[in-house]
């Protein structure tokens, strides 16, 4: 029997990446065409729009006093990245930069209204492969052979770069002293979690993306201000990446990778993914794909066993009433620590091709 896993970690298989324009536009490639990661595969015109900038909140100043800190006010044009407000003094000075080019049209209640100028959006492939599907004016699908690892959450769009493991870091955390210019332009894999200061240093260094085991939920707002995507593999909190999954990242260190944030496509929401394409000519194995079987290595993706790894003990799946009073389909899993637990199928991630020895 074939029992599909809810989430995927596939060290070698067929990979499909769907790319979507933010507005209807023009797709520049055709089915069967081979693309490189930085190829522009679509364009769309983005009309003028109004954005609300929470400047006082970001600078931690009183809303009624915002005008005292503004360098630009209503009626003035700003460039993307231009400093428009400053609070505090060096070395504790806080800056607010314009998120886009446009014109400030109003200021009220500690906020600025920015009329963003019309622009042209260029959609890049971010994956080396072959175009297999084109949806006129909206997007396309690219396929290749490679490794795929699904995450739990991501923010900040998509990215492409070379995978680099974070080196000497206290307790596997992303802290300022653990990262330097050697990570410029890279997708950085962090074994555990990140501090606000560490993410800020990553922004200064110019990384293209950060992959974490977990993230304190208090930092979600800060992550939304970063210029690069952040993905967590396990969940919120301070949980390290599971050992087999971290070992898989280590095996692929130095290779090009794509971070796909899981944007809406059609009627479904894709889970965030890390995709590592293989060299041209390498063939993906044939078959039905990831499947649960007795002895299969799995990762648990929900509390109370979030991030733990174990082996499927008994199949086929059984229906049981769990502690919150509903019946779910699941399997018994032998954890590394020696405990056997019942886990709903929806809370399992199959670590295909991996082993507990990592």
């Amino acid at each position: 029997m074939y029992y599909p896993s809810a989430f995927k970690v596939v060290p070698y298989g067929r990979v499909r990446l769907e790319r979507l324009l933010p507005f209807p536009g023009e797709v520049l490639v055709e089915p069967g065409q081979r693309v490189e990661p930085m190829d522009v595969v679509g364009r769309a015109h983005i009309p003028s729009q109004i954005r609300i900038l929470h400047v006082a909140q970001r600078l931690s100043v009183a809303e009624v006093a915002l005008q005292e800190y503004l360098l630009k006010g209503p009626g003035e044009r700003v460039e993307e990245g231009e400093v428009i407000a400053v609070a505090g003094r060096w070395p504790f000075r806080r800056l607010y930069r314009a998120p886009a080019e446009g014109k400030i049209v109003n200021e009220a209640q500690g906020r600025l209204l920015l009329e963003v100028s019309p622009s042209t959006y260029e959609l890049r492939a971010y994956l080396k492969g072959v175009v297999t599907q084109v949806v006129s004016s909206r997007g396309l699908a690219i396929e290749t052979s490679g490794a795929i690892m699904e995450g739990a959450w991501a923010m900040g769009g998509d990215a492409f770069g070379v995978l680099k493991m974070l080196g000497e870091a206290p307790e596997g955390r992303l802290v300022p002293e653990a990262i330097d210019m050697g990570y410029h332009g890279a997708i950085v894999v962090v074994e555990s979690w990140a501090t606000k200061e560490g993410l800020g240093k990553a922004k200064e260094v110019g990384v293209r993306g950060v992959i974490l085991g977990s993230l304190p939920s208090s930092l979600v707002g800060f992550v939304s201000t970063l210029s690069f995507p952040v993905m967590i593999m396990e969940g919120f909190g301070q949980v390290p990446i599971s050992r087999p999954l971290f070992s898989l990242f280590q095996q692929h260190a130095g290779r090009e990778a794509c971070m796909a944030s899981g944007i809406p496509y059609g009627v479904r929401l894709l889970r965030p993914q890390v995709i590592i394409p293989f060299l041209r000519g390498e063939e993906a194995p044939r078959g039905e794909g990831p499947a649960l079987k007795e002895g299969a290595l799995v990762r648990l993706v929900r509390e109370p066993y979030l991030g733990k790894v174990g082996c499927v003990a008994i199949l086929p799946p059984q229906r049981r009433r769990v502690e919150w009073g509903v019946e779910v389909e699941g399997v018994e899993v032998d954890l590394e620590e020696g405990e056997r637990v019942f886990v709903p199928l929806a809370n399992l991630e199959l670590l295909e091709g991996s082993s507990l020895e990592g």
Side-chain angles (χ1 to χ4, degrees), residues 280-295:
R280 185 175 181 178
E282 293 182 280
E283 291 295 330
R286 305 291 179 181
E288 294 180 292
L292 287 181
K293 57 185 179 181
E294 291 187 9

Side-chain angles (χ1 to χ4, degrees), residues 34 41-42 44 54 58 112 132 170 198 250 258 296 307 332 353:
R34 179 167 290 277
V41 294
H54 299 269
R58 185 76 56 76
L112 294 178
T132 57
Q250 289 176 315
C258 167
E332 291 188 348

